[in-house]
Amino acid sequence: MNILNPNDNRKAVVIFSGGQDSTTCLIKAIADYGVANVEVITFQYGQRHAIELEKAQWIAEDLGVKQTLIDTSVIKAITTNAMMENIEITKDKNNMPNTFVDGRNAIFLLYAAIYAKGQGITDIITGVCETDFSGYPDCRDVFVKSMNVTLNLAMDYQFNIITPLMYLTKAQTWQLADELGALDYIREHTHTCYLGVEGGCGSCPSCLLRENGLNEYLSSKQ
């Protein structure tokens, strides 16, 4: 049976890393727009572990969506952090973890917008969240909204940056995955670990956030 697209055949591009959040956004986008109207952009920004890019490629192929890989690794020349260098994960005096990559989400949204306009796409989806996060300033709703206005002005184009997870806890993100019928898929196929360990190290901040959220959600179902 052919079901009419609830978004009237608009197209969307998802900023996609192969992690839990962006994969949840991708699967939701496929449900909302139809697989033929969704594609993803993955950024090679100099991340220290190739597994992230490998997972993203595998999931995009498995779900049948077009993937565009964009190299923004030039950022390594101007900043240092634990996401791109083999250094210990720590926090500074302001409690900001050194996994924060200055300017990363601004760059991602800018390049995604340039690409989207060229394809005639207005909807850009990103999995940033200010509820369960590490204090990253570029995951806040105020930043995304300001970037949306800036991009619209910069390119004289009506972009719509969509953040499905913005106010969800990690447990609620797992709940959303479950409601989409993708809980096991995301558990088995996504990568979140900062240390690049297949299946997760279980001790880095990202693994702990993911696992604690999953346990909270599963407990709530009992």
Side-chain angles (χ1 to χ4, degrees):
M1 178 174 63
N2 291 323
I3 300 176
L4 292 177
N5 189 312
N7 282 291
D8 197 27
N9 287 317
R10 287 206 324 277
K11 297 183 182 297
V13 61
V14 180
I15 296 176
F16 184 61
S17 69
Q20 175 193 354
D21 293 344
S22 65
T23 304
T24 302
C25 288
L26 173 56
I27 292 172
K28 185 178 189 307
I30 290 172
D32 289 345
Y33 293 81
V35 67
N37 294 312
V38 175
E39 53 184 282
V40 300
I41 290 181
T42 300
F43 291 94
Q44 184 173 357
Y45 61 89
Q47 51 267 66
R48 60 195 260 189
H49 304 296
I51 186 173
E52 181 175 316
L53 296 172
E54 293 166 358
K55 292 287 186 181
Q57 181 180 4
W58 187 92
I59 293 169
E61 291 177 354
D62 187 62
L63 295 179
V65 296
K66 176 186 175 183
Q67 181 189 37
T68 299
L69 182 66
I70 298 178
D71 186 350
T72 57
S73 58
V74 65
I75 195 173
K76 291 187 70 173
I78 54 175
T79 187
T80 300
N81 53 77
M83 294 299 287
M84 299 187 296
E85 305 289 340
N86 189 21
I87 58 178
E88 182 182 358
I89 296 174
T90 59
K91 292 185 178 182
D92 65 17
K93 61 182 180 180
N94 297 316
N95 211 36
M96 175 68 73
N98 64 348
T99 50
F100 174 59
V101 182
D102 284 307
R104 180 175 59 175
N105 283 338
I107 290 171
F108 287 0
L109 288 169
L110 171 61
Y111 278 83
I114 294 169
Y115 176 83
K117 183 180 178 182
Q119 303 299 312
I121 297 171
T122 58
D123 293 3
I124 301 170
I125 300 171
T126 177
V128 296
C129 165
E130 69 171 42
T131 305
D132 274 349
F133 75 129
S134 299
Y136 296 171
D138 63 359
C139 288
R140 295 176 298 173
D141 186 59
V142 64
F143 161 72
V144 174
K145 282 185 167 58
S146 69
M147 193 69 178
N148 202 153
V149 172
T150 297
L151 292 172
N152 290 0
L153 292 171
M155 291 183 236
D156 194 22
Y157 193 76
Q158 195 61 42
F159 295 107
N160 181 29
I161 302 178
I162 301 168
T163 54
L165 312 182
M166 179 57 73
Y167 296 112
L168 301 187
T169 66
K170 195 59 71 177
Q172 290 170 327
T173 300
W174 282 113
Q175 179 183 348
L176 176 59
D178 200 9
E179 291 170 353
L180 291 165
L183 180 68
D184 289 340
Y185 188 92
I186 289 172
R187 288 181 71 174
E188 294 170 10
H189 298 302
T190 64
H191 176 80
T192 307
C193 179
Y194 283 160
L195 301 182
V197 176
E198 178 78 39
C201 69
S203 60
C204 75
S206 185
C207 282
L208 291 173
L209 185 61
R210 173 181 171 129
E211 193 64 23
N212 290 340
L214 177 60
N215 290 336
E216 181 183 343
Y217 172 60
L218 293 177
S219 296
S220 72
K221 293 181 65 178
Q222 296 176 357

